[in-house]
Amino acid sequence: CQHLLHQYPQLKANLIDDPMVLKTVKNPYPNRLFLSPGSIFEPPPIQGDIYILSRVLLNWSDEMALKILNSIYSQMPPSSQLLIIDFINDDSNPQSMSPLVDINLMVLFGTQTRSLGEFSRLLTQSQFQVSEVLTHPSTVSLIVATPN
């Protein structure tokens, strides 16, 4: 978030997270970065043009991921976008970090990385449409989705 604010001086952002997490955030942009306490399972307290989930869904089961997506969808204006920055499981790619990430996720959260098809299914179930996917062979990828 802070990288985007640095690159785009006209940008304003609202970071929504658990109050305990927000207490640890160093905010060099107090007039442009607003810290709002909230739960990922509740609709965002304000509407925006872009919603970003960066490495969030990989920590949750499909059922909980759907709750997260549905809560965001319920607050999104029709012209807004959801950006999902996450690992995409691609077993056919020998450079993929997915197996290593999967081991950590299984131990820590009982989850694993999702394939693009699995992400698409979750997004469709929560009334989103995938409009673009930018993949990186060994790290996180970007899924752009819009409300249907």
Side-chain angles (χ1 to χ4, degrees):
C1 187
Q2 291 181 13
H3 179 73
L4 289 172
L5 290 167
H6 178 73
Q7 290 290 345
Y8 302 96
Q10 74 286 5
L11 186 69
K12 292 182 180 178
N14 195 326
L15 176 62
I16 303 165
D17 211 326
D18 183 90
M20 296 299 290
V21 173
L22 292 179
K23 287 181 183 179
T24 67
V25 174
K26 292 180 179 29
N27 187 355
Y29 305 100
N31 296 322
R32 296 175 44 225
L33 176 58
F34 307 99
L35 306 178
S36 300
S39 167
I40 194 85
F41 299 107
E42 298 295 325
I46 63 165
Q47 289 188 330
D49 296 322
I50 296 175
Y51 297 76
I52 301 173
L53 291 175
S54 180
R55 294 175 298 230
V56 170
L57 297 178
L58 60 90
N59 298 323
W60 300 99
S61 67
D62 285 357
E63 177 185 350
M64 298 308 282
L66 283 171
K67 286 183 180 185
I68 294 167
L69 293 169
N70 286 328
S71 75
I72 293 170
Y73 177 85
S74 71
Q75 191 71 349
M76 289 180 76
S79 62
S80 60
Q81 293 181 315
L82 171 63
L83 307 181
I84 298 173
I85 302 165
D86 219 325
F87 293 95
I88 296 179
N89 189 346
D90 181 5
D91 289 335
S92 66
N93 178 359
Q95 293 180 335
S96 174
M97 296 292 291
S98 292
L100 295 174
V101 174
D102 278 347
I103 291 170
N104 286 324
L105 290 174
M106 284 181 207
V107 170
L108 295 171
F109 304 108
T111 62
Q112 60 187 27
T113 56
R114 293 179 174 89
S115 67
L116 181 56
E118 290 167 322
F119 272 113
S120 296
R121 180 182 50 76
L122 287 172
L123 288 162
T124 299
Q125 287 178 325
S126 49
Q127 302 179 57
F128 286 97
Q129 176 180 326
V130 175
S131 59
E132 188 174 0
V133 178
L134 302 171
T135 59
H136 188 278
S138 62
T139 60
V140 294
S141 298
L142 172 69
I143 301 171
V144 179
T146 55
N148 277 335

